[in-house]
Amino acid sequence: MADKSYAIFPKIPLGDGVEYIVDWIDTWFGWLLDAVNYILDIFVSAIQDLLLFIPSLIIILLFAAAGWYVTNRDWKMPVLIALGLLLIQNMRLWPEAMETLALVITAAFVALIIAIPTGIAASRNETVEQIVKPVLDFMQTMPSFVYLIPAVIFFGLGDVPGIIATVIFAMPPAIRLTNLGIRQVPRELNEVADSFGATPNQKLFKVQLPVALPTIMAGINQCIMLALSMTVIASMIGAGGLGLNVLIGIQRVDIGMGFEAGLAIVIIAIILDRLSQNLIKTGG
Amino acid sequence: MEDTDNDNKKIKLEVRNLVKVFGPKPEKALALLDEGKSKTEILEATQQNVALNNVSFDVYEGEIFVLMGLSGCGKSTLLRCLNRLVEPTSGSILVDGDNIPEMDEEELLNFRRHRVGMVFQSFALLPHRCILDNVAFPLEIQGISQEERHEKAEKAIGLVGLAGYENSLPSELSGGMQQRVGLARALAGDNDILLMDEAFSALDPLIRREMQDELLDLQERVNKTIIFVSHDLDEALKLGDRIALMKDGCVVQVGTAEDILTNPETKYVEKFVEDVDMAKVLSAKDVMKRPEPLVSVTSGPNNALHLMEEYGISSVFAVSKHRKYEGLILVDDATEAKKKGLGLEDIIKRDIPAVSPDTPVSEIMPLVADSAIPIPVLDDEGKIKGIIIKGSVLAALSRMEV
């Protein structure tokens, strides 16, 4: 029963090491963290304020119009979008929904700003790819809750640490698919760029990125969806929005509240997914 | 005007001792090559692949030069060395005196932009751009204004017969049309040299033949120096002013289609060409006999009968001054005319099918197959250059099939 054989070797202090590194970063790069915190906070608040400032009916109309546009003037999608958003409004969850939307937009935006250049770099350089790949494996298999811990240590509680954890969680597929998309550009198309004397930048922007666009867009779609799912989890460290209602619902065993907030998340998820997927089909 | 004499032709592109070794340490393989080791020996000793082994040849200005060989012989690698899509390991490539392998990045960029164009096997059109913007792509790379590049692109599109398709997407066109776009794109920049990598191999046979004809037509108008890679001997023979036959990274023989067919320098070339359909390769001038005897159309039937008797034949061609072809006199008609006292003008048959010296034998065979009378070979001015009878066609074909 008391198998002590594992205790022959002293425990390697992996956890202590990570803690030490996190402390060290906090001490020496506190100013940087503060700056990031400050900028992200302004960013997310601005989007949130804007979304709440605009009357909800106008936002619903804008989303419906977007649906109409990406489906090449089909009427079904805008109607469903409008019905879904009206239901959220009817459940009196509109402010929370807009807060979640602001978090998703901010997190996805930051994630893509990092992910797409990283993906491009990985596609052009074997060494970069060999470094990035295991890091991505690590990021994707590490349970998402674990990201909440350093986020809290570095940024305290609130929206910003939620965004940071979300960014880390949502980035990998966008990096992978950008890398993959560019690497899958047929050899002869790359040769077209080279043989007519394109510079590396002309090759990237005129041939590789446009040809890889459908794959990159699939990565963007994945990034947005993961961001939405993570902003809900991020409510555990104080991020606001619909996730917070779900969390309260769990804590109070209030099934009605949990269900309503969950349903609102599903509606937003479907709308974001369909909009970004159809954007791929219409060619960006 | 174009010179037909080889000695007067200007050399456009001069390849000397070109070597390409695929592998991390080509120096070792190069040293072994200098020792005279073979490709397989080097592969065993160094694990490096010698793709091109001391290749040298010249390409004249304004000719279609075909690089021919089986897949894996290095012909595509060789083509890509010419614009350095593949970096040659050693050797020189002189284009108008400039050595391509020694160019720095900017010189190379300018060389690719202004002096050489390329057509690809899989067409390699940009799927997100319309035809006009695909053709204008090389010009866009050069930073030419949209107005000017569209104007030039439209001209190139017209040249390949695709006017009206400017706004279509590549996916809306058939394979043959897509490759026309590829051709127009290579022509848009008005570069002197055209590299064509198995350009028609992905097309089905009928379209391929059509495209070959059009390339020859187009070449008459644009007069580029074309280097054409092909694995299809029939295609090489049809298109190539000269052909370089490659094997295992070496050029085995360079010459005109006839040189290669009639004087194969090695067993390999011989083996390669033995399956060729000679009927497509040989033309009337290769199988015709000397135009003898001929009778003047102003002379009488007696003279004609005398000639036929002397040569043991049943018909004779009649000519006017300067061997201008008039028609055929048959022995029966001549005998009749002699009895009735008619002249040759009265009995001459003028509706005999005639061919030109360049008519391929494949087109002549049906004409001679079911008739006993010979066929005259006439030049552009209507002078008789030779005659073809069934026997000489068959003899020529069987002589080749040794």
Side-chain angles (χ1 to χ4, degrees):
Chain A
M1 214 180 266
D3 180 9
K4 298 274 185 182
S5 62
Y6 64 84
I8 293 173
F9 301 104
K11 181 174 181 289
I12 301 170
L14 263 181
D16 295 342
V18 171
E19 244 175 69
Y20 174 79
I21 292 169
V22 167
D23 278 348
W24 183 82
I25 293 175
D26 204 16
T27 315
W28 293 100
F29 289 96
W31 56 274
L32 184 65
L33 299 177
D34 287 344
V36 170
N37 199 342
Y38 182 70
I39 293 167
L40 280 182
D41 197 36
I42 290 178
F43 200 94
V44 73
S45 308
I47 294 180
Q48 209 171 305
D49 291 347
L50 181 71
L51 288 174
L52 287 173
F53 172 75
I54 302 171
S56 56
L57 280 176
I58 290 184
I59 291 190
I60 292 172
L61 274 177
L62 287 175
F63 267 96
W68 183 73
Y69 175 75
V70 298
T71 53
N72 279 329
R73 288 132 210 235
D74 188 47
W75 58 270
K76 272 178 271 171
M77 172 99 78
V79 169
L80 289 174
I81 288 176
L83 285 178
L85 290 177
L86 283 170
L87 181 61
I88 292 178
Q89 196 197 35
N90 180 264
M91 291 190 290
R92 308 291 187 268
L93 287 173
W94 188 258
E96 288 85 350
M98 289 305 105
E99 202 177 334
T100 295
L101 201 57
L103 288 173
V104 171
I105 290 171
T106 312
F109 180 75
V110 174
L112 291 176
I113 278 188
I114 301 170
I116 289 176
T118 310
I120 291 170
S123 73
R124 304 177 109 187
N125 188 310
E126 301 303 323
T127 320
V128 175
E129 194 195 25
Q130 275 169 16
I131 295 168
V132 165
K133 267 202 164 162
V135 174
L136 292 182
D137 292 338
F138 183 88
M139 283 164 75
Q140 281 188 298
T141 42
M142 180 64 80
S144 50
F145 297 95
V146 177
Y147 297 129
L148 300 178
I149 306 167
V152 167
I153 296 173
F154 291 139
F155 299 101
L157 294 174
D159 281 346
V160 172
I163 290 169
I164 298 292
T166 305
V167 165
I168 296 170
F169 185 69
M171 241 176 6
I175 297 177
R176 274 188 210 277
L177 286 167
T178 303
N179 177 28
L180 181 73
I182 294 176
R183 282 178 184 269
Q184 278 179 339
V185 172
R187 190 188 71 147
E188 285 202 332
L189 284 183
N190 282 314
E191 284 186 340
V192 165
D194 288 332
S195 69
F196 288 110
T199 61
N201 275 339
Q202 285 177 324
K203 183 171 156 184
L204 178 67
F205 288 108
K206 291 184 192 292
V207 175
Q208 293 179 322
L209 286 182
V211 174
L213 191 67
T215 314
I216 296 175
M217 288 301 289
I220 292 175
N221 168 270
Q222 287 297 298
C223 180
I224 293 172
M225 299 317 288
L226 285 179
L228 181 62
S229 74
M230 190 64 189
T231 47
V232 175
I233 295 171
S235 65
M236 288 167 66
I237 54 171
L242 293 166
L244 193 60
N245 287 39
V246 175
L247 192 68
I248 296 170
I250 294 171
Q251 285 163 349
R252 295 189 193 154
V253 203
D254 183 341
I255 189 162
M257 183 180 186
F259 179 81
E260 282 181 354
L263 185 62
I265 290 168
V266 170
I267 290 169
I268 292 179
I270 291 174
I271 290 173
L272 290 180
D273 181 58
R274 294 301 183 273
L275 285 182
S276 55
Q277 268 197 21
N278 278 286
L279 205 58
I280 302 173
K281 284 184 209 145
T282 48
Chain B
M1 281 305 283
E2 218 189 309
D3 289 317
T4 43
D5 192 351
N6 261 4
D7 301 330
N8 294 335
K9 277 200 167 176
K10 197 177 151 228
I11 293 178
K12 181 80 182 171
L13 189 144
E14 192 178 331
V15 175
R16 287 291 174 272
N17 305 104
L18 195 69
V19 175
K20 173 65 194 177
V21 178
F22 283 111
K25 287 199 182 103
E27 301 80 15
K28 235 165 130 188
L30 276 180
L32 288 174
L33 264 186
D34 286 340
E35 286 171 29
K37 292 279 198 314
S38 81
K39 182 183 160 117
T40 6
E41 284 170 329
I42 295 172
L43 185 65
E44 272 172 23
T46 65
Q47 304 299 312
Q48 311 212 51
N49 184 18
V50 180
L52 295 175
N53 184 354
N54 261 315
V55 171
S56 300
F57 60 87
D58 294 329
V59 179
Y60 299 119
E61 190 168 324
E63 75 172 340
I64 300 183
F65 187 87
V66 179
L67 294 171
M68 232 307 290
L70 299 174
S71 56
C73 71
K75 54 193 193 301
S76 280
T77 306
L78 176 53
L79 190 76
R80 283 169 168 71
C81 280
L82 301 181
N83 62 356
R84 273 175 60 188
L85 285 180
V86 170
E87 285 291 337
T89 308
S90 75
S92 67
I93 302 164
L94 296 174
V95 174
D96 297 327
D98 298 324
N99 194 0
I100 311 300
E102 280 178 1
M103 284 182 170
D104 63 29
E105 216 147 289
E106 200 184 323
E107 287 170 327
L108 178 63
L109 224 56
N110 278 325
F111 171 70
R112 286 170 170 176
R113 285 180 178 183
H114 301 295
R115 292 163 67 184
V116 61
M118 194 159 178
V119 182
F120 296 85
Q121 178 172 10
S122 65
F123 322 138
L125 303 180
L126 299 172
H128 57 284
R129 287 169 171 243
C130 67
I131 300 311
L132 186 64
D133 282 328
N134 258 294
V135 174
F137 177 75
L139 307 167
E140 187 181 330
I141 295 286
Q142 294 171 25
I144 291 173
S145 74
Q146 176 162 333
E147 198 181 341
E148 193 184 340
R149 68 179 190 246
H150 278 178
E151 193 181 310
K152 284 185 173 177
E154 261 168 36
K155 230 161 104 196
I157 291 172
L159 214 52
V160 298
L162 276 185
Y165 288 95
E166 284 86 353
N167 295 318
S168 306
L169 284 173
S171 54
E172 294 163 358
L173 302 188
S174 69
M177 289 161 98
Q178 289 191 36
Q179 193 56 300
R180 280 166 213 244
V181 179
L183 198 54
R185 177 172 62 186
L187 292 170
D190 207 21
N191 303 348
D192 293 342
I193 302 174
L194 224 55
L195 306 178
M196 302 184 70
D197 181 23
E198 301 254 14
F200 304 147
S201 301
L203 303 172
D204 66 66
L206 270 177
I207 308 285
R208 192 185 314 163
R209 234 170 293 152
E210 202 177 290
M211 290 294 287
Q212 289 163 355
D213 290 334
E214 279 194 33
L215 179 67
L216 291 172
D217 259 16
L218 196 63
Q219 169 68 350
E220 299 246 309
R221 279 177 283 161
V222 295
N223 199 27
K224 304 279 179 192
T225 303
I226 300 177
I227 299 164
F228 193 104
V229 164
S230 176
H231 65 262
D232 176 3
L233 187 59
D234 286 335
E235 183 170 73
L237 295 171
K238 180 169 178 182
L239 294 178
D241 291 316
R242 290 188 310 137
I243 299 166
L245 203 68
M246 292 185 68
K247 186 202 176 194
D248 290 343
C250 299
V251 169
V252 191
Q253 185 173 358
V254 181
T256 62
E258 277 196 34
D259 284 344
I260 286 190
L261 289 173
T262 50
N263 305 309
E265 278 173 21
T266 67
K267 278 264 175 247
Y268 177 76
V269 179
E270 210 171 285
K271 210 161 162 41
F272 209 103
V273 300
E274 76 186 2
D275 294 334
V276 180
D277 185 356
M278 295 305 294
K280 280 188 200 154
V281 177
L282 295 177
S283 54
K285 63 179 180 296
D286 300 314
V287 297
M288 68 190 184
K289 302 201 311 176
R290 290 181 55 192
E292 283 180 343
L294 296 172
V295 64
S296 169
V297 74
T298 51
S299 68
N302 271 327
N303 192 8
L305 283 170
H306 174 72
L307 279 171
M308 287 189 242
E309 195 181 340
E310 193 184 322
Y311 281 84
I313 50 180
S314 60
S315 62
V316 64
F317 285 110
V319 293
S320 50
K321 264 188 193 166
H322 303 300
R323 287 191 160 193
K324 186 151 170 37
Y325 170 76
E326 292 293 336
L328 186 70
I329 312 291
L330 296 174
V331 66
D332 294 347
D333 296 341
T335 319
E336 194 82 355
K338 190 180 166 188
K339 277 186 201 155
K340 294 183 180 167
L342 298 171
L344 287 181
E345 292 276 13
D346 304 315
I347 56 162
I348 191 163
K349 291 214 175 305
R350 296 181 188 273
D351 54 354
I352 309 293
V355 297
S356 85
D358 292 323
T359 307
V361 168
S362 57
E363 286 175 31
I364 299 171
M365 293 221 291
L367 298 178
V368 292
D370 46 22
S371 87
I373 52 171
I375 291 175
V377 180
L378 308 179
D379 66 7
D380 296 342
E381 292 158 20
K383 291 181 187 172
I384 188 158
K385 303 300 279 185
I387 55 179
I388 295 175
I389 58 170
K390 195 196 284 184
S392 56
V393 173
L394 295 177
L397 289 177
S398 63
R399 189 171 64 240
M400 293 298 180
E401 283 163 10
V402 177

